[in-house]
Structure formats: structure tokens, C-alpha cells
Amino acid sequence: MFEIIRDIGAITRKTEIKTNAEFRRLGLANNAFIYVIRTYEKPGMFLGELADSVQIDRTTAFRTVQKLVDSGYLRLEDDAKDKRLRRVYVAAKGKAVYPELHAFEQHSSDTLLSQLTADEQNELKRLLSKLVY
Amino acid sequence: MFEIIRDIGAITRKTEIKTNAEFRRLGLANNAFIYVIRTYEKPGMFLGELADSVQIDRTTAFRTVQKLVDSGYLRLEDDAKDKRLRRVYVAAKGKAVYPELHAFEQHSSDTLLSQLTADEQNELKRLLSKLVY
DNA sequence: ACCAAGTCATTGCAAATGCAATGAATAATC
DNA sequence: GATTATTCATTGCATTTGCAATGACTTGGT
């Protein structure tokens, strides 16, 4: 049954190569676009929370976010109560580019799922969500 | 419906972190264990073919295979007819370690799929195989 | 209030990564 | 059969990666 785990890995790597190529021109390669999308959709996560939500190593995530702050896509804000935390928000450039990122993710998703019926897509979504817990 | 593509990416990254940690002691981190498993199961693939089969960048794969040859896990052989090709086989060390790699992959798979019934697992496998084509 | 244990962001560093480019060999087209 | 286009392994190089370690801060237990 390990075909599942293998297929999942292969799909991820293939998808990442395409997406990174697409967004390199924006300085959003190396999965950087993921942070912009997620932050737009759920503003105010702290750094580690954001990293965990996409299952990327926290130090890698930290550096990527730094770069995105420098390039104007994201913005950091100290938490008022807990001095350890730095919360992440989209900056102007991130807001501006979100529609394009979202459209591409939608397109990637459509391409990936094009071989499945609507029912099959729903079932796949249900099954995968049970794996992520 | 892009939850699917997101979940798949998250599962992959989480799985890779665990597996790399497990096999670092053998010098098989950074997805190196994948090459040993795949080569054991399908000996004689040429380098690019092996890389493509797991959807990893060919230059990265090339360097990883080199390392595995140096460390005695794999072995390369020139193709008799096509002088461009170098085919990959497991060496003694690779053969010896395969059972352990396989067992761990099985364990990872079981853990990942533990929330699904047998029927659901079969359905998930069927659906994913349609995405990989 | 204190101490231990846990969590956070951050840095150091060696190693891995991947895009771009090269040259050799083969396949395809004319 | 010559020429062009592909496909292969391989290298160069700048960037990214992630484990390990650090110090600041918070939480929980006593």
C-alpha cells in the first residue's frame, strides 16, 4: 500500500518544480509563494505557527519570511502580550499579488485533478483530510 | 478544491523529515534512501530514468547517486548499446539495507493510513494513481 | 516566588539544491 | 548521408536548506 506515500511524494515534487518556475520572476520561488497565500488567508499567525501549518522546517520558513519582508510581500509585528512571538501579515505587495498566486494554484489544482470526476475529487479531498489530522 | 494539493504537499514534507531523520545514521538522508529502494526494485534504470521515476531534479539525483556509489550502496554500469547511458544497480551494501528501508516505508505508510479503513485505502490508492499517470 | 521544562525567534555552518550551460551520443528529418 | 533536433551525463555556481545550538521569554509545578 506504500504506492500511496510514493505517489504523494512524486506529485509534490513535480508540482513544486512547476510552481517555482512560474513564480521565480516575482522572487517567489523556493515555495515562497506558499507563505504569501497562507498569510493572506490567515493573517496574524506567528512564525512557527505558519511554518507548522505548511509543514516546512521552522528555520527555513524563518529565512524565507525574512526575505519576503525585505522584498515587501510580508510584514512582521511583535505580539503585544507574548514577547517571544512575531506575527505575520501581508504587506502591500503581497496583497497585490495574491489574486495571481491564487489563480495559479487553482490552475495547478485543476490540471492535477483533471482525470477525476467531481465525486472522485470530493472523495479524495475527504480521504486526504483524514491523513493530515 | 486546492485543499488536495496543499494536503499532499504537507504530507510529503512531514514524511520526508521523519524519514531523513531515521536514515541519517546510515548516510541515507536527503531522500537518498529512495534511490536505494527504487533501484533494488527495478535494477538497471539509467540515471535520468531513475530521477524521473521519483520526480527529482536530474542534477540532484545525479549527485545523490554518485554519493551512494562512493558509499557502496549503488553501482553504475555503462550501457552496452547507447554510450550516453549509465545504468544503476544496487551494490552489496544496498542489498543488505533494503529490508530495513522497506520495513520503515511500510511503517510510515501504515502510520499515515491508520485513520482509513481498508476500503478507503484502496480507493485512495486508485485515485492517486490517476493523478500520476 | 522559584526553578525546571517548554516554546519562541534567531544564527552558524556545512552540505544540498537546482537552474543554466557544456559536450558527447543518438534520433529524426530532409 | 548530411544536418538538425533531442537526449543523455556531467559540471559550475550562487542560493537554499536544515540540523544543532543559543538566548529570551513563558508556563507549570511546587
Side-chain angles (χ1 to χ4, degrees), chain B residues 64-112:
Chain B
T64 305
V65 168
Q66 287 295 353
K67 246 167 272 165
L68 294 174
V69 169
D70 291 346
S71 54
Y73 285 106
L74 297 179
R75 184 168 56 77
L76 285 170
E77 210 169 284
D78 291 343
D79 187 87
K81 307 197 169 171
D82 189 330
K83 291 182 182 174
R84 293 172 305 180
L85 307 185
R86 307 190 67 195
R87 299 191 174 276
V88 190
Y89 301 88
V90 283
K93 213 165 152 187
K95 235 169 238 165
V97 87
Y98 175 78
E100 186 182 350
L101 304 186
H102 184 266
F104 187 84
E105 187 179 39
Q106 196 59 253
H107 169 73
S108 298
S109 174
D110 291 348
T111 303
L112 177 67

Side-chain angles (χ1 to χ4, degrees), chain A residues 31 33-58 61 65 88 105 132-133, chain B residues 2-3 5-14 17:
Chain A
N31 289 329
F33 70 97
I34 293 181
Y35 302 82
V36 179
I37 286 190
R38 299 301 180 97
T39 300
Y40 185 96
E41 295 174 3
K42 188 180 174 188
M45 284 189 283
F46 63 88
L47 280 167
E49 188 182 3
L50 172 56
D52 291 353
S53 79
V54 293
Q55 297 286 352
I56 291 180
D57 178 82
R58 283 186 176 204
V65 168
V88 191
E105 188 180 37
V132 178
Y133 41 93
Chain B
F2 47 73
E3 293 90 346
I5 215 170
R6 292 185 181 183
D7 285 349
I8 284 177
I11 291 167
T12 299
R13 289 186 287 269
K14 189 172 187 175
I17 287 175

Side-chain angles (χ1 to χ4, degrees), chain A residues 17, chain B residues 35 47-52 55-67:
Chain A
I17 287 175
Chain B
Y35 301 82
L47 280 166
E49 187 182 5
L50 172 57
D52 292 351
Q55 296 287 351
I56 292 180
D57 178 82
R58 282 186 176 203
T59 64
T60 302
F62 167 77
R63 277 184 255 249
T64 305
V65 168
Q66 287 295 353
K67 246 167 272 165

